[in-house]
Amino acid sequence: MNREPASEVERVVPNAFERRDPTCTQRVGDNALHLFRYARPALCFLGLLAFTAAPLHAANVNDLAAGDDGFWAQAARFASLTDPSVRYALAGALLLGLSCGLLGGFIVVRKMALVGDALSHAVLPGVAAGFLWAGTKDPLAIFVGATIAGLLGTATVSAITATTRLKEDTALGLVLTSYFALGICLLTMIQRLPNGNQSGIGTFLFGQAAALGADDIQLMAIVTTAAVGVIIAGYKELLVTSFDPGFARASGLPVGLIHHTLMFLLAAAVVIALQAVGVVLVSAMLITPAAAAYLLTDRLHRLLLLAAAFGVMSGVVGAFGSFVGHGLPTGPLMVLAASAVFAGAFLFGPRHGVAARWWRQRCQRARTRRENALKAMFHLWEEDNFGPEGVALADFAQRRRCTLEEIGVIVRELARHDFVTLDREMVYFTPAGRLRAGEIVRNHRLWELYLTESANIAPDHVHDDAERIEHVLGEATVRALERRLNYAKLDPHGKIIPSPRELHRGEHDALERPAAGGREGDRS
Amino acid sequence: MTADADAATPALEIHDLTVSYHRKPVLWGIDVAVAPGQLVGIIGPNGAGKSTLIKSCMGLLPVSGGWVKVFGKSLRDDPRRVGYVPQRESVDWDFPVSVLDVVLMGRYGRLGLGRRPGKADREAARACLDKVQLLPFANRQISNLSGGQQQRVFLARALAQEADLYFMDEPFAGVDAATEAAIIAVLRELRSAGKTILVVHHDLPTARQYFDRLLLLNMNVVAFGPTEEVFTAELLQKTYGGRLTLLSEVAQALGAGANAGGGERA
Ligand SMILES: Nc1ncnc2c1ncn2[C@@H]1O[C@H](COP(=O)(O)OP(=O)(O)O)[C@@H](O)[C@H]1O
Ligand SMILES: [Mg+2]
């Protein structure tokens, strides 16, 4: 096969970066596990902070106002579930966390977060209209009004993008603000009405789980059941239309119908969550739990389950905080709890988390430091014609351009990894150390040779690149490089490339001096 | 009798097709009939409307005039006869799915609404992954693949559709040599199984080797016919509108083709 060198490089190099030192990966894995184990208590702690700090402060304010029970008494009342309003609030929080978390998963993977936000603001005039129509705070009337307003809002967005040059973000912004403004005006007008039932309507802005009644819960249960049912039955359709709508349509699936079903469920979920979370923040219950879940997994079904769990958790924490905090708005508390979960995932996620990434980098840097020291030691040993003597600590320090104390630290680290043994002033390779050092030197020289021979780069330009590549070349890539270079024995500077077969012959052979004969011959 | 009818009706018939974006026509009066069992390359400069042609054939875009028939019928009647490989950039590769999940999507059209893929579908998807040599990566998340591997995932998904007519949009764009070889092997295998394949292609020298017929496209059909008749300097120049760099590429391609006569590419 007559392949282009460029494509060979492409094939070789990306693989090279995939490989990590097995011990290091193991450590990363272990540490990721540890981090995850720590993450849970940390999350709980953050969650606790989120709902204890605020209510405690609020409790003081309330003590001044009404001289109330303490925090723990309230908490006990919440946990005992004797109070029916607690039961409703808790059930409502569970249901809304579940439906918003599940649907939010789709919103996030479809990149429709802004649509969720616009939808949640657009329902407000519908809430007011439903109230005006029924004359009371009738859940069904408000549900119908709000759902219609929400769907009207999304239809307006589609109409604007389809008929003008404006793009979706602008259309969403327009609809969000204008509907919301209309809603606020209507709500203010309602509050001025001489109607006895208007008091509850104000909670729609920031949410009050304690205001939920039995018929609210019934409606929430119906919507949540519908959402769960549709997601289970239509999981594959939702998956393929989210990932590749063009392909889904080409395979004959009714993409439009699926999209509209999802939008309808979304509108319904937003509306049932309104009373507990409030118009202003309800989109956070869609986005935040799902976003946290997205950081922790890379399969959609797991993402949905995690998002639902996070949603339920934040909902319950919010309801609890609002109860012990005497009428502190539920919505902001739920959103704070969800944000705490997100922060936990962002910082401590085992794969994409900041802490895990930092640890991996640290690990990689430490490994590079060790390998560079091993390489320097190999060079010294090579200059001694692979003699039986060890390397003097002072020579080693001189070569690494550092003090005896500094080299001592590195040597002790190498000894901890069983790469060398230290006998007073002399350092000796262990078989494993010599193997690793040989591999690094081989990687370096092979790569230099590859760059000069196949990529036509001048020999004095290749060293720096090889310094980086040597630490990441995988065994498979090394074999491929060797094949390409016809098992060359000398690097561009005339130094011997240690052979992988010799290096890997095993501990027993590696204990002896490498066979000098063939190598000396090559060198002359 | 059905076999006769199948042989007589073209796999794809496009009649006077016109497609516009915001009233601006992008394709004009396209007339093409492709007989079954052919490997057709669609060639044209950037923005010529190659992707648009494919998408409108599949009913993904509204057409402003003309019609498309697949095996004598409108595509709406039986979408299962058509398989699709979209451009790789058309999806988000960070999407939380595994390679096998993506290939399984090829089965969704046959399954219909509400039915879940079963063991047989899973086996079929694995077999398709095996054909493109990606079975070992079946459980990886799709962003952990190289560009060429991602392209092969799309090809495997199309294979899982078990269609009779395939549309592929730039399957060779930005892939490594191994992937290019794997893809062309699969395409030839499909053709010998009697499938019809239309492939958007951007590389002239290989276009000449790979395809039975070429469709030279630039807003309208410049030429459509057997490769050796259509692959001429004059027609290519007409297609590419006399752009200098491309012309030299064409000249080089023609030269290479003349002294090599197939075989390996220069
Ligand atoms: N969604 C779109 N909206 C408006 N114009 C488009 C859209 N998609 C493509 N076009 C235009 O249509 C023409 C043909 O595009 P396309 O079919 O993608 O070309 P090709 O695939 O041959 O490079 C181009 O001029 C492009 O700018
Ligand atoms: Mg295109």
Side-chain angles (χ1 to χ4, degrees), chain B residues 68-96:
Chain B
V68 177
K69 280 185 176 172
V70 172
F71 296 104
K73 281 192 233 160
S74 156
L75 193 59
R76 295 237 171 282
D77 297 340
D78 195 1
R80 289 187 210 171
R81 297 200 76 170
V82 173
Y84 181 32
V85 177
Q87 268 177 298
R88 181 151 52 90
E89 302 82 54
S90 65
V91 302
D92 169 19
W93 290 93
D94 282 330
F95 197 91

Side-chain angles (χ1 to χ4, degrees), chain B residues 46-47 50-52 87 169-170 200:
Chain B
N46 274 334
K50 304 179 297 287
S51 301
T52 306
Q87 268 177 298
D169 203 344
E170 308 224 7
V200 174

Side-chain angles (χ1 to χ4, degrees), chain B residues 21-22 24 26-27 44-53 55 61 87 169-170 200 217:
Chain B
Y21 288 111
H22 309 298
K24 190 187 115 214
V26 171
L27 290 176
N46 274 334
K50 304 179 297 287
S51 301
T52 306
L53 177 65
K55 285 186 193 154
L61 290 175
Q87 268 177 298
D169 203 344
E170 308 224 7
V200 174
L217 188 76

Side-chain angles (χ1 to χ4, degrees), chain B residues 25-167:
Chain B
V26 171
L27 290 176
W28 266 30
I30 306 287
D31 270 307
V32 171
V34 181
Q38 293 202 317
L39 184 49
V40 179
I42 303 176
I43 310 281
N46 274 334
K50 304 179 297 287
S51 301
T52 306
L53 177 65
I54 282 195
K55 285 186 193 154
S56 44
C57 283
M58 310 209 53
L60 304 183
L61 290 175
V63 303
S64 28
W67 45 257
V68 177
K69 280 185 176 172
V70 172
F71 296 104
K73 281 192 233 160
S74 156
L75 193 59
R76 295 237 171 282
D77 297 340
D78 195 1
R80 289 187 210 171
R81 297 200 76 170
V82 173
Y84 181 32
V85 177
Q87 268 177 298
R88 181 151 52 90
E89 302 82 54
S90 65
V91 302
D92 169 19
W93 290 93
D94 282 330
F95 197 91
V97 282
S98 70
V99 169
L100 188 67
D101 289 338
V102 173
V103 179
L104 264 178
M105 289 177 192
R107 312 293 299 173
Y108 289 2
R110 324 207 128 240
L111 284 167
L113 281 183
R115 265 182 55 210
R116 281 163 181 280
K119 204 167 154 44
D121 296 303
R122 226 163 272 281
E123 283 308 314
R126 285 176 70 103
C128 294
L129 265 181
D130 195 25
K131 269 203 194 116
V132 298
Q133 292 147 35
L134 277 185
L135 193 52
F137 303 97
N139 291 320
R140 286 232 186 144
Q141 197 267 330
I142 51 175
S143 64
N144 299 325
L145 301 178
S146 70
Q149 289 171 329
Q150 290 176 342
Q151 192 65 63
R152 279 186 273 160
V153 173
F154 267 3
L155 184 63
R157 181 176 68 172
L159 291 178
Q161 291 185 285
E162 292 178 5
D164 297 313
L165 170 65
Y166 284 97
F167 293 100

Side-chain angles (χ1 to χ4, degrees), chain A residues 102-368:
Chain A
L102 281 176
L103 292 168
F106 287 108
I107 297 307
V108 167
V109 297
R110 284 173 174 243
K111 304 178 185 63
M112 281 171 35
L114 276 179
V115 177
D117 200 29
L119 184 68
S120 64
H121 283 76
V123 298
L124 195 58
V127 172
F131 183 86
L132 285 173
W133 183 48
T136 62
K137 218 183 94 186
D138 174 34
L140 195 62
I142 288 178
F143 178 81
V144 173
T147 312
I148 290 175
L151 294 177
L152 212 62
T154 51
T156 316
V157 172
S158 311
I160 291 174
T161 48
T163 56
T164 70
R165 289 187 303 177
L166 295 171
K167 301 293 178 282
E168 196 183 28
D169 57 337
T170 310
L172 285 171
L174 274 171
V175 168
L176 185 157
T177 47
S178 55
Y179 276 61
F180 189 60
L182 178 64
I184 294 282
C185 287
L186 286 176
L187 280 193
T188 319
M189 277 159 60
I190 288 172
Q191 268 162 345
R192 292 233 189 88
L193 285 179
N195 189 326
N197 268 322
Q198 75 232 34
S199 59
I201 202 85
T203 61
F204 279 101
L205 235 36
F206 291 111
Q208 191 46 269
L212 291 174
D215 34 6
D216 292 310
I217 298 298
Q218 221 169 22
L219 200 60
M220 293 175 96
I222 293 171
V223 170
T224 307
T225 314
V228 172
V230 167
I231 288 173
I232 290 177
Y235 177 75
K236 89 173 195 296
E237 285 78 11
L238 287 166
L239 172 67
V240 68
T241 53
S242 304
F243 174 62
D244 191 349
F247 180 83
R249 191 182 303 232
S251 359
L253 292 172
V255 176
L257 175 73
I258 293 163
H259 177 78
H260 289 125
T261 310
L262 187 66
M263 288 311 287
F264 176 75
L265 283 175
L266 194 63
V270 164
V271 174
I272 59 160
L274 274 190
Q275 204 165 143
V277 191
V279 173
V280 180
L281 290 175
V282 69
S283 64
M285 287 306 284
L286 291 170
I287 297 162
T288 316
Y294 202 171
L295 295 184
L296 297 178
T297 176
D298 48 22
R299 292 293 182 283
L300 185 62
H301 59 276
R302 271 183 242 145
L303 187 154
L304 292 179
L305 291 177
L306 271 180
F310 291 160
V312 166
M313 225 160 80
S314 334
V316 171
V317 167
F320 175 75
S322 164
F323 182 77
V324 298
H326 303 283
L328 211 67
T330 329
L333 287 176
M334 288 188 182
V335 174
L336 275 181
S339 307
V341 173
F342 178 81
F346 174 68
L347 293 174
F348 305 112
R351 234 167 321 161
H352 310 291
V354 173
R357 242 190 330 225
W358 169 80
W359 179 261
R360 272 198 299 270
Q361 268 168 18
R362 208 185 91 114
C363 204
Q364 171 73 29
R365 270 200 304 272
R367 194 165 64 87
T368 305

